[in-house]
């Protein structure tokens, strides 16, 4: 995993490389970025739709959260297994197959007349999601010249933030206007667009060497790698135990209407983009300091939101702080992992994706149990325990980062 630097000379080299880059190379990058947007939109769509799925299919909100849990678990399994299983198959055909699976999953979700069928569609989606990030996350280095790799990778990863914008905020709004079927119809249309873009613009991407299974252990074999994986797991479990159920919280506890909730979720993710850029300007601080500050800010805001949501203005302020901190968290975690195991890039990315997705899955599952058992407001409060645990693990880590 590599990250852009802020060095001026590097920026000049990158700019020169970009100007010399063939148009077809950038079209290929944008095709993968479109796929990233659609995968992330589809992943987060149920968060905005949670209330409508619960009411329309006669299941509890905790049970509806399985639509986030199930694909997360499947993605966690699929990422390492597909990274190894695709062997030396041309990556163009792998990505096209995953894009086709996304079309099928969204079609099934759109046509679902029961919660069980909708859940099957989400399971198929989870397989495609894990495979896409295991193969597609680092594909930028195969599409452009060396000096443009950082920019190409940042364009692809921008799809995560854009997908969160569309999936969470637009999901809430479309669910209010057109229902669950309309929301998944939108996802289906976008997934067809993604497939067509890749079919038109992706070049052949042959590989010379299949990834051996031992490459997955590169991060695990380092002390900082193990610490990072555990901190990541705890922090993201707490994050998604809360975020999966933020829509019912904003409706039931803060009494916002559907249009306001959509705007709040849009702003949450937009502010998160700012958090991502802020991290880039704080490279002088140690990664450990940045990680501790980010986790502390995130769960501090979450705790105050759960226990002291006394006014709409206060809720909006805390949602902004929460969004800013979460926007920074994935990037700080990636930097930590890259420093922990610089020689285990492809296998490291697969394990990173697997850990990320299983954290989403178990977090949303745990959050659902808390919501059904305690109510949405108290459930958000208990999510802070995961953040405290992550900070304690980080505090006892004395290795240089």
């Amino acid at each position: 995993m590599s990250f852009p630097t802020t060095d001026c000379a590097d920026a000049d080299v990158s700019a020169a490389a970009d100007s010399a880059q063939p148009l077809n190379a950038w079209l290929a990058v944008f095709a993968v970025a479109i796929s990233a947007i659609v995968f992330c939109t589809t992943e987060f769509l149920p968060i905005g739709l949670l209330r409508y799925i619960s009411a329309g299919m006669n299941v509890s909100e905790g049970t509806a959260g399985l639509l986030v849990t199930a694909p997360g678990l499947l993605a966690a399994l699929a990422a390492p297994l597909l990274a190894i299983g695709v062997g030396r198959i041309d990556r163009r055909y792998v990505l096209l197959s995953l894009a086709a699976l996304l079309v099928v999953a969204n079609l099934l979700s759109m046509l679902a007349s029961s919660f069980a069928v909708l859940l099957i569609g989400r399971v198929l989606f989870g397989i495609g999601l894990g495979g896409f990030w295991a193969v597609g996350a680092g594909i930028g280095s195969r599409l452009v010249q060396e000096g443009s790799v950082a920019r190409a990778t940042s364009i692809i990863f921008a799809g995560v933030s854009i997908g969160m914008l569309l999936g969470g905020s637009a999901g809430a709004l479309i669910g209010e206007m057109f229902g669950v079927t309309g929301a998944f119809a939108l996802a289906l249309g976008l997934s067809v667009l993604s497939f067509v873009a890749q079919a038109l613009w992706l070049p052949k991407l042959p590989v010379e060497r299949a990834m051996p299974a031992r490459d997955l252990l590169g991060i695990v074999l380092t002390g900082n790698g193990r610490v990072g994986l555990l901190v990541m797991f705890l922090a993201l479990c707490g994050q998604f135990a809360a975020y999966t159920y933020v829509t019912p919280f904003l409706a039931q506890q803060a009494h916002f209407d559907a249009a306001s909730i959509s705007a709040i979720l849009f702003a949450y993710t937009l502010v998160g983009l700012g958090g991502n850029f802020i991290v880039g300007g704080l490279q002088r601080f140690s990664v450990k300091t940045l990680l501790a500050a980010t986790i502390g800010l995130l769960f501090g805001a979450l705790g105050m939101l759960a226990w002291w949501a006394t006014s709409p203005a206060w809720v909006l302020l805390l949602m902004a702080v929460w969004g800013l901190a979460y926007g920074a968290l994935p990037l700080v975690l990636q930097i930590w992992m890259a420093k922990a195991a610089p020689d285990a890039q492809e296998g490291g990315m697969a394990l990173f994706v697997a850990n990320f997705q299983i954290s989403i899955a178990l977090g949303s599952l745990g959050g659902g149990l808390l919501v059904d058992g305690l109510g949405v407001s108290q459930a958000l409060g208990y999510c802070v325990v995961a953040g405290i645990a992550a900070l304690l693990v980080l505090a006892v880590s004395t290795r240089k980062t």
Side-chain angles (χ1 to χ4, degrees), residues 94-121:
V94 174
L95 289 172
L96 284 173
S97 298
L98 295 169
L101 183 60
L102 177 61
V103 171
V104 172
N106 278 327
L107 177 62
L108 188 59
S109 297
M110 183 190 73
L111 297 175
S113 57
S114 68
F115 184 77
V117 175
L118 182 55
L119 190 59
I120 292 171

Side-chain angles (χ1 to χ4, degrees), residues 233-382:
F233 174 77
L234 292 168
L236 291 177
C237 276
Q239 157 68 19
F240 283 97
Y243 184 68
T244 302
Y245 304 95
V246 69
T247 300
F249 172 81
L250 291 172
Q252 297 170 18
Q253 304 299 318
H255 307 295
F256 288 105
D257 59 25
S260 298
I261 291 172
S262 177
I264 291 168
L265 293 179
F266 182 89
Y268 172 95
T269 313
L270 199 62
V271 169
L273 285 172
N276 186 64
F277 288 115
I278 287 171
V279 169
L282 298 176
Q283 296 293 327
R284 63 185 180 277
F285 295 101
S286 73
V287 185
K288 185 174 182 178
T289 299
L290 288 175
L291 188 53
T294 302
I295 293 172
L297 192 64
L298 190 161
F299 286 96
L302 183 56
M304 287 188 282
L305 186 67
W307 291 311
W308 294 292
T310 55
S311 71
W314 186 235
V315 170
L316 292 176
L317 175 62
L318 291 173
M319 284 293 298
V321 175
W322 181 9
L324 185 73
Y326 178 67
L329 183 60
L331 179 57
V332 179
L333 286 169
Q334 287 180 34
I335 294 172
W336 178 290
M337 294 302 186
K339 290 190 173 185
D343 299 324
Q345 295 187 19
E346 187 172 326
M349 178 58 74
L351 194 59
F352 184 92
V353 171
N355 194 36
F356 204 109
Q357 292 300 326
I358 202 167
S359 301
I360 292 175
L362 295 182
S364 62
L365 177 62
L369 295 174
L370 289 171
V371 166
D372 285 348
L374 301 173
V376 66
S377 184
Q378 290 190 19
L380 260 64
Y382 278 102

Side-chain angles (χ1 to χ4, degrees), residues 1-29:
M1 290 169 280
S2 60
F3 304 90
T5 68
T6 56
D7 186 87
C8 293
D10 287 347
D12 291 341
V13 171
S14 179
D18 289 344
S19 64
Q21 203 70 241
L23 176 61
N24 287 346
W26 287 114
L27 288 175
V29 170

Side-chain angles (χ1 to χ4, degrees), residues 42-309:
T42 305
E43 179 174 16
F44 294 106
L45 199 58
I47 292 175
L49 297 172
L50 205 67
R51 289 187 301 149
Y52 309 103
I53 293 170
S54 174
M57 295 188 169
N58 296 315
V59 297
S60 70
E61 288 169 344
T63 300
L66 289 173
L67 300 177
V68 179
T69 301
L73 287 173
L74 267 296
L77 292 172
L81 291 178
L82 283 175
I84 297 170
V86 294
R88 295 177 59 189
I89 299 174
D90 189 305
R91 295 309 187 245
R92 179 179 190 271
Y93 301 126
V94 174
L95 289 172
L96 284 173
S97 298
L98 295 169
L101 183 60
L102 177 61
V103 171
V104 172
N106 278 327
L107 177 62
L108 188 59
S109 297
M110 183 190 73
L111 297 175
S113 57
S114 68
F115 184 77
V117 175
L118 182 55
L119 190 59
I120 292 171
R122 297 295 291 174
V123 166
L124 293 177
F125 162 72
I127 296 171
L129 176 68
F132 172 78
W133 283 117
V135 176
I139 208 71
S141 62
R142 302 284 311 279
L143 299 175
V144 297
Q145 298 172 6
E146 185 176 353
S148 298
V149 169
R151 184 159 299 176
T153 303
S154 68
I155 290 172
I156 292 170
F157 271 88
V160 177
S161 296
I162 296 172
M164 284 188 69
L165 283 172
L166 294 174
S169 56
L173 183 60
I174 294 170
E176 177 71 17
M177 296 174 63
F178 303 109
V180 175
T181 299
F184 280 108
L186 171 64
L188 175 61
L190 292 174
S191 58
V192 172
L193 174 65
S194 167
F195 179 86
V196 172
Q198 291 182 89
L200 290 175
W201 295 335
L202 271 183
K204 291 185 177 180
L205 297 166
V207 294
E208 297 180 357
R209 170 184 174 270
M211 189 186 78
R214 64 177 179 274
D215 281 10
L216 292 173
L217 301 177
I219 286 180
V220 179
L221 296 178
T222 69
N224 279 341
R226 291 191 295 272
V227 168
L229 288 171
L230 181 56
V231 169
M232 175 184 177
F233 174 77
L234 292 168
L236 291 177
C237 276
Q239 157 68 19
F240 283 97
Y243 184 68
T244 302
Y245 304 95
V246 69
T247 300
F249 172 81
L250 291 172
Q252 297 170 18
Q253 304 299 318
H255 307 295
F256 288 105
D257 59 25
S260 298
I261 291 172
S262 177
I264 291 168
L265 293 179
F266 182 89
Y268 172 95
T269 313
L270 199 62
V271 169
L273 285 172
N276 186 64
F277 288 115
I278 287 171
V279 169
L282 298 176
Q283 296 293 327
R284 63 185 180 277
F285 295 101
S286 73
V287 185
K288 185 174 182 178
T289 299
L290 288 175
L291 188 53
T294 302
I295 293 172
L297 192 64
L298 190 161
F299 286 96
L302 183 56
M304 287 188 282
L305 186 67
W307 291 311
W308 294 292

